[in-house]
Amino acid sequence: LIQVAERLEGPFNFELAADSIGVKISEGIMYLQENSVQMSTKVFQGCGNPRPAPGRTKRAVRDETKRRFRTYSPDEKPTTAAGTNLDRLVKDVKEKLRLMKG
């Protein structure tokens, strides 16, 4: 059980993997921006040229002063709806197992 708990702290930690999703999305967007001409050419070759849109209207200006997401340190991470946090649960289990092991 201690080995299982240690693996949950390492590369199999779902919360850690989910935290990096934002970085991967950002990298993908940056790649598309840097290679927009080549990407557009490939899309148009595969899908054909787009038809011009009939009249378009402007969207309302969005208030960008509000941040949608907040990053947390491991100690202050919010808990899930069930009141748990994987990091805290794994630490708790490891400590209990060490005490039981003697």
Side-chain angles (χ1 to χ4, degrees):
L1 286 174
I2 290 174
Q3 289 175 339
V4 170
E6 287 173 353
R7 287 196 109 182
L8 287 173
E9 284 182 325
F12 297 103
N13 183 335
F14 177 77
E15 289 177 337
L16 184 63
D19 284 344
S20 68
I21 289 174
V23 174
K24 297 293 184 186
I25 290 171
S26 177
E27 289 173 353
I29 291 170
M30 287 174 46
Y31 177 83
L32 288 173
Q33 288 174 336
E34 291 169 359
N35 299 291
S36 63
V37 174
Q38 294 93 338
M39 295 301 292
S40 294
T41 302
K42 286 182 181 181
V43 169
F44 294 151
Q45 284 174 350
C47 302
N49 288 325
R51 292 175 291 200
R56 296 180 92 180
T57 60
K58 286 188 174 184
R59 293 184 182 177
V61 177
R62 194 167 162 201
D63 183 15
E64 293 293 331
T65 58
K66 297 178 189 173
R67 263 190 97 177
R68 288 184 162 201
F69 302 102
R70 177 176 171 216
T71 56
Y72 296 92
S73 71
D75 293 331
E76 68 173 354
K77 278 187 179 178
T79 58
T80 63
T84 60
N85 177 286
L86 185 61
D87 293 335
R88 286 183 237 159
L89 288 173
V90 170
K91 285 179 187 177
D92 186 39
V93 166
K94 282 179 70 175
E95 185 60 34
K96 289 179 181 178
L97 289 170
R98 283 192 184 104
L99 291 172
M100 288 173 59
K101 189 175 180 181

